[in-house]
Structure formats: C-alpha cells, structure tokens
Amino acid sequence: MKHFKTLLLATALCIGTISFTQAQTKVAHINTQELIKAMPEMKTAQAELEALSKTYQTDMQGSVTEFQNLQKQYEAEAKNKTDEENQKRILELQEKQQRLQQFQQDAQKDLQSKEIALLQPITEKAKAAILKVSRAQGYDYVLDSGVGVTILADGKDLLNDVKKDLGI
C-alpha cells in the first residue's frame, strides 16, 4: 500500500510537470520603432510634416523680421514723437509680440496634432501586422525591443517576418 501511494504521488508529479512544460508560453520580440521607420507611409508622413514645419518657420521668420523692422523704425522716430505717441507705439509693439508668440504656440499645436493624425494609422497598421504574424507563428506574447528595453532571452525576432508581411 505504501508503494502504491509513492507510485501514485510520482505519477501525479510527472503529469503535473508535463502539463506545466506544455503550458509554457512562446515569446518573441520586435523593434517597433525600426519597423515603423521602414514603412513607406512613415517616409511620406515625415515629408509632409517637414513641409508644414518649413511653412510655419518661413511665416514666423517673416513676421519676426517685420516686427524687428517696425521696432527699429519706432526707436529711430521716438525722439521726434510725443510721449503719448511713443506709448501707443510701445503698446502696438507689445501686441504684435503677443501675436507672434500666439502664432508660434498655435503652429506647435497644429504640428503636434498633424503628427498624431499622420502617425496613428501607421502605428495601427504595424500593430495589426505584428499581431497577424505572431499569431500565425504561434507566439503568445511579443515584447517591444525598442529604445531602453533589453531582451535577455533568445526569443525569435519577428522584425523581418513582419516586414515581409507588409511588403517592405
């Protein structure tokens, strides 16, 4: 009877060990930043953002030059004007400076919202491709091995497979 209990316990341990090893998950990794950089849509989005940024920079530089010229003109004419006129000019310059600052803030907000609008579909497409490839290859988890993440295991790198799936 004692041998039967020992045999039963050993059998239970073996079954438990086999079940545990079969229940282990498969893990892969991918550098999503590298994948997104390689996507043609990203190059198009970057070009569009650079063009918009240059437009804002050109507009801003023109406005700053105009402001500086007006400021120099007012400083040169200040001796020939009354204190009341000079006060009005100072207020006018302050208003123009505030408008310049507001324009700069609005341009930055617009660039940020445009970047989000352009990058969201790209990241969604990359995510969908990663999920498709990882599921097809039977992986339970995919870790992002991007900046600041160290992968210590020898898991499969899915980058080339996902690029192939996307036609890159």
Side-chain angles (χ1 to χ4, degrees):
M1 186 70 166
K2 188 174 185 178
H3 289 294
F4 181 72
K5 285 183 182 180
T6 307
L7 184 61
L8 188 60
L9 180 63
T11 306
L13 283 173
C14 285
I15 292 173
T17 304
I18 292 170
S19 297
F20 177 75
T21 56
Q22 288 177 348
Q24 288 183 340
T25 57
K26 288 179 68 178
V27 179
H29 62 90
I30 188 167
N31 187 334
T32 54
Q33 290 178 342
E34 190 175 329
L35 173 66
I36 289 172
K37 278 184 190 177
M39 294 172 69
E41 297 93 335
M42 184 62 178
K43 292 175 178 89
T44 304
Q46 285 177 328
E48 191 174 331
L49 286 171
E50 286 175 16
L52 184 60
S53 177
K54 285 180 183 178
T55 301
Y56 281 134
Q57 287 175 347
T58 303
D59 291 348
M60 184 68 180
Q61 189 59 42
S63 297
V64 167
T65 303
E66 180 183 322
F67 173 78
Q68 289 172 341
N69 291 338
L70 189 60
Q71 187 176 23
K72 287 177 185 176
Q73 177 188 345
Y74 284 179
E75 287 173 4
E77 296 174 351
K79 296 176 187 172
N80 301 332
K81 301 291 180 180
T82 65
D83 286 342
E84 186 178 308
E85 289 176 317
N86 284 334
Q87 287 299 323
K88 285 181 184 178
R89 289 176 163 204
I90 289 172
L91 289 174
E92 184 181 337
L93 285 173
Q94 288 174 346
E95 288 175 13
K96 285 187 181 285
Q97 187 175 20
Q98 288 174 348
R99 285 195 299 262
L100 279 173
Q101 290 172 345
Q102 187 63 44
F103 175 77
Q104 186 177 17
Q105 290 173 358
D106 291 345
Q108 286 176 341
K109 286 179 185 175
D110 188 41
L111 277 172
Q112 288 174 345
S113 64
K114 185 71 170 180
E115 182 178 19
I116 290 169
L118 289 172
L119 295 183
Q120 186 175 5
I122 296 170
T123 56
E124 292 297 322
K125 182 177 179 181
K127 180 181 175 184
I130 292 167
L131 286 172
K132 178 182 172 188
V133 170
S134 66
R135 287 178 180 156
Q137 294 185 11
Y139 288 99
D140 299 313
Y141 295 98
V142 178
L143 304 174
D144 187 355
S145 61
V147 178
V149 178
T150 304
I151 303 296
L152 299 174
D154 289 333
K156 173 149 170 99
D157 186 357
L158 294 178
L159 184 61
N160 291 329
D161 295 336
V162 175
K163 282 182 173 180
K164 187 177 177 182
D165 184 66
L166 288 171
I168 300 174

